[in-house]
Amino acid sequence: MKIKVLLVDDHMLVMSGMRELLEREEDIIVVGMVLKLADLQEAIETFNPHVVVMDIRLKDGNGLHWTKK
C-alpha cells in the first residue's frame, strides 16, 4: 500500500518540487496539492490522505493553528 500525501503550500514551485522528491519513493504518492487553507478541509475529505505536509506560514492563515484542530 502506498502512503497518500497531501501537500499544502502557497507557493506552487515549492509544492511541485516536494511532489517530485516524494514521488521518487516507491511507497509514496502525492494525492493532492492545496494552495490555501480555505480549501484544505475539502481536500482532506476528497483525497483521504495518510499524511499532510503543510507550510506553517500561508497567505490565508497559520498552518500550525489549523493542525491543532
Side-chain angles (χ1 to χ4, degrees):
M1 180 175 82
K2 290 195 176 199
I3 300 167
K4 298 186 296 184
V5 177
L6 176 65
L7 300 176
V8 183
D9 199 303
D10 50 1
H11 296 95
M12 185 55 81
L13 183 61
V14 172
M15 278 198 299
S16 296
M18 286 289 294
R19 177 181 211 149
E20 185 178 323
L21 288 172
L22 288 170
E23 289 191 336
R24 289 180 183 177
E25 300 298 320
E26 290 181 16
D27 59 343
I28 295 176
I29 183 168
V30 175
V31 293
M33 299 192 303
V34 176
L35 289 167
K36 51 188 175 176
L37 290 175
D39 299 330
L40 183 54
Q41 184 65 43
E42 182 179 347
I44 288 172
E45 292 170 5
T46 300
F47 300 115
N48 194 25
H50 298 118
V51 176
V52 176
V53 177
M54 181 170 17
D55 189 358
I56 60 171
R57 291 187 186 148
L58 297 156
K59 292 177 185 171
D60 67 335
N62 183 321
L64 285 177
H65 178 73
W66 200 94
T67 345
K68 293 179 183 180
K69 290 185 176 186

